Structure formats: structure tokens, C-alpha cells
């Protein structure tokens, strides 16, 4: 069923209240999601994006109930990833001659996924436009690496709508469609989680693109992303947030992450947390057991932190596999301007702290010299090392030290 967006623009996507994960199981979904597709019915009828492959037949059937498919003049494929292009195969089987407007890289990704089907591709670049009647046009903006090489946005003049695709989206189901109708806490939380886990690796490109978009002097009344709520009320709020987040963002937070075998490493983690609060009461402190926490949610906490402490006991001359997998994902997200410290217990060989420190360096963190390496369970002598480690994370000398 279509939902009215503005003027002659409707939402014709799919709201997925039951989705639990995305990108395979690499992104957790806590509050549903949506794949937003849009129908523009000016003198020309334009479909902007489609939905994910499993919903392709329902999408085409629903669209048929709204319009005669033969009336679609143009299809805009802002991005080739299958959550937005997945219904093209079913749709193009019905209207095989319809021109598809997309970037040169999108031709590669679409043909790479679905094979060469003889679709009528029309390659566009930044600044190219398409007249759609009523004095309105779609102006295309390449969004390379935000977050695929093929990504693109389309700006509709007259109604001043930016169809931004993944940028500014959230994995968040909002039946009422618009940001002003959504739960504001969840909206912010999910927009941030999406930015951290999907877009942060491309933050330098994003900063340049925001500047380029600003230079185009587009009047933007609505930002219509391909996931989650449509930004109708103060749409520039999310652009301002992206500019902030893309610039090595941090809050006054330090977060402690660990996994533990027999609670020794857990005890050090909690002692570190207590000491942060003691030395710096204004600093927000959080503690997560990596094995028992959601990976994507913890990455949002890393993003907000100015420093992290990561702990693992030594096992098999290395670290726990939960921590190893977590740090691999941490590295992918290319966080900037954050300190880190390593800690952990051991019984005989004791490599975990050295390995953790190296992995954190490889992930782009400034690893402080102070670490805690506890032979067997931590005792008073081990806990006595905590203030210096915390002082290192806070960027100050430990109380009583020069
Ligand atoms: Fe929502 Fe990159 O696809």
C-alpha cells in the first residue's frame, strides 16, 4: 500500500517488522527496518529504487495495484545492493524496455549480481538531470563509497526531495513513515548505529561529499533515505549530525570491553570502571562482556568513547575467540582519535595482553603504555596498577604520581 510523501510522490516500499539481522548476520536489527522505494507521478512516472529480493514478487504485485506498470517511464537505481535492487528482476520481466538510470558502477554491480539481461541502462554522473514534467527534474549526485562504489542520490526539484538512498537511513521500522512521528530516542539511536556500523569507514569521503552537497545549494525540504524514517521535520538535523559524526567524533566516555574464562579478567574490567569514575566523575563509564553483548551496539559505544580498555585472558597462547572476532570488526570500522589499553589474566604463557595491544594498534587506536597482566587471579598488587592505566586513558598522570 502506498503512503503519501509530498505532492505527487509516494512511498511504495516494504516495512519489515520481523527482520532480525542484515548483511547476513553482521548487523543486528532491534527495531525492525524498511526498504524504502518511491513512486513519482508527474508528467513522467518514475520509480526510485525497489526492495530486497525476498519481497520482489509482493513488491511488483503491490505496485500493479497502484499503477499500470507500463506507465513507468523511468527507473532510478540509486544503489545496486540487493536490498534496493532485488525486485528489479521481477519488475523488468514485466517491463523489460524501461530505462534504468544509474551510475556506471551500478551497471557493473547489477550485472554482476543478476547477469547481463539486456536492461536499458542510462549511465548518469553528478550534475546530470532528467526532466520529469511540471517543470521538475531529478538531479543526480554520485555518492561513491557511501557506501558502495555505485551509490548515488537523486534530488527532485520543485518538491525539494533528496532521495539519498543508504545515507541518512536507519534500520528502524516506522509505520507512520516520518521522523516527526517516530520515537525520537530510537530514531537517534538507530541513525547513529547505522552510521557507525555502515558509514564510519568512509567518513573522510562523507565529509567531502557533505561539502560538495552544501556547495550545490540545494533547497532540501525532505530527505528520503532507503531505510527507516523519512526526514521531514528539520531534515538538515541529520546532515548536521553526519558532519559531526564524520569528524573523529567522541564524547566524554570511556568504555571497558572484556571476555573472561574464570572471572579474573572480569574483576580487572570492573576495577578499571570504578577507577575511571573515581578519577573522573564526569566521564561516562560503561562495561560490556563482549561474548554477551551485541557486536553492533558495542561498536556504537566505542564510537562515542574517547578511550577503551579491552581485556582477554590468555588461552591457547592467544586471546579468546569472542574478543578476536570483535576486534576484527572494530578494525573494519576505522575509528579515529581514540586511546586504548589492554588487560588480562594468565596462568603460564601470558601472551594475551601483548596480542591485544598489537591488534588495537592495527585497528588504529593509540595504545597507552600502561597495561595489566595478571598471573592467575588479580590480587592487590595487580589492582594497584589500575590507577596508572586509567590515568593513561584519561590522559593525565595517576593521582600521586608526577
Ligand atoms: Fe541498503 Fe547498501 O544497501
Amino acid at each position: 500500500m502506498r503512503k503519501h510523501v509530498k505532492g505527487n510522490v509516494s512511498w511504495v516500499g516494504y516495512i519489515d517488522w520481523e527482520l532480525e539481522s542484515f548483511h547476513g548476520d553482521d548487523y543486528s536489527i532491534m527495531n525492525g527496518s524498511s526498504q524504502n522505494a518511491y513512486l513519482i507521478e508527474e508528467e513522467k512516472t518514475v520509480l526510485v529504487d525497489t526492495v530486497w529480493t525476498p519481497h520482489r514478487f509482493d513488491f511488483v504485485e503491490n505496485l500493479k495495484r497502484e499503477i499500470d506498470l507500463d506507465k513507468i517511464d523511468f527507473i532510478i537505481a540509486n544503489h545496486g545492493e540487493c536490498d534496493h535492487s532485488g525486485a528489479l528482476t521481477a519488475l523488468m520481466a514485466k517491463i523489460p524496455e524501461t530505462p534504468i538510470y544509474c551510475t556506471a558502477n551500478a551497471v557493473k554491480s547489477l550485472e554482476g549480481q543478476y547477469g547481463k539481461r539486456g536492461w536499458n541502462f542510462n549511465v548518469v554522473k553528478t550534475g546530470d538531470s532528467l526532466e520529469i514534467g511540471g517543470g521538475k527534474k531529478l538531479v543526480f549526485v554520485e555518492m561513491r563509497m557511501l557506501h558502495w562504489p555505485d551509490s548515488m542520490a537523486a534530488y527532485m526539484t520543485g518538491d525539494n526531495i533528496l532521495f539519498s538512498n543508504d545515507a541518512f537511513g536507519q534500520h528502524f521500522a516506522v509505520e507512520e513513515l516520518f521522523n516527526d512521528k517516530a520515537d525520537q530516542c530510537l530514531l537517534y539511536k538507530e541513525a547513529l548505529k547505522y552510521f557507525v556500523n555502515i558509514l564510519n569507514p568512509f567518513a573522510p569521503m562523507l565529509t567531502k561529499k557533505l561539502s560538495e552537497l552544501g556547495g550545490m545549494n540545494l533547497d532540501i525540504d525532505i530527505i528520503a533515505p532507503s531505510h527507516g524514517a523519512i526526514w521531514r521535520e528539520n531534515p538538515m538535523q541529520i546532515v548536521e549530525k553526519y558532519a559531526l559524526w564524520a569528524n573523529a567524533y567522541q564524547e566524554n566516555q570511556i568504555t571497558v570491553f572484556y571476555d573472561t574464562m574464570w572471572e579474573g579478567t572480569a574483576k580487572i574490567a570492573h576495577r578499571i570502571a570504578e577507577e575511571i569514575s573515581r578519577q573522573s566523575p564526569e566521564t561516562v563509564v560503561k562495561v560490556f562482556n563482549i561474548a554477551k553483548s551485541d557486536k553492533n551496539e558495542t561498536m556504537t559505544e566505542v564510537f562515542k568513547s574517547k578511550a577503551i580498555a579491552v581485556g582477554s585472558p590468555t588461552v591457547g597462547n592467544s586471546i579468546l575467540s569472542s574478543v578476536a572476532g570483535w576486534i576484527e570488526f572494530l578494525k573494519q570500522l576505522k575509528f579515529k582519535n581514540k586511546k586504548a589499553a589492554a588487560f588480562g589474566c594468565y596462568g603460564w604463557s601470558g601472551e594475551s595482553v601483548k596480542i591485544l595491544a598489537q591488534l588495537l594498534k592495527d585497528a588504529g587506536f593509540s595504545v597507552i603504555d600502561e597495561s595489566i597482566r595478571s598471573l592467575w587471579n588479580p590480587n592487590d598488587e595487580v589492582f594497584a596498577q589500575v590507577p596508572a592505566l586509567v590515568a593513561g586513558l584519561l590522559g593525565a598522570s595517576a593521582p600521586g604520581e608526577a
Side-chain angles (χ1 to χ4, degrees), residues 22-23 79 81 83-84 147-148 165-166 194 226-227:
F22 194 77
H23 283 162
H79 177 28
E81 196 163 10
D83 51 326
H84 309 298
H147 66 123
W148 271 21
N165 199 262
D166 282 333
Y194 191 95
S226 56
H227 297 289

Side-chain angles (χ1 to χ4, degrees), residues 15 52 68-69 176 200 252 255 275 302 349 362 368 391 401:
I15 297 182
W52 190 17
D68 176 354
L69 296 182
E176 301 84 1
N200 192 65
N252 185 9
T255 312
E275 181 63 19
V302 174
S349 61
D362 294 346
I368 63 171
E401 289 184 1

Side-chain angles (χ1 to χ4, degrees), residues 359-377:
L359 289 172
L360 288 165
K361 265 183 206 155
D362 294 346
F365 288 76
S366 301
V367 178
I368 63 171
D369 292 336
E370 295 83 359
S371 60
I372 296 175
R373 190 164 166 266
S374 175
L375 179 60
W376 302 112
N377 278 332

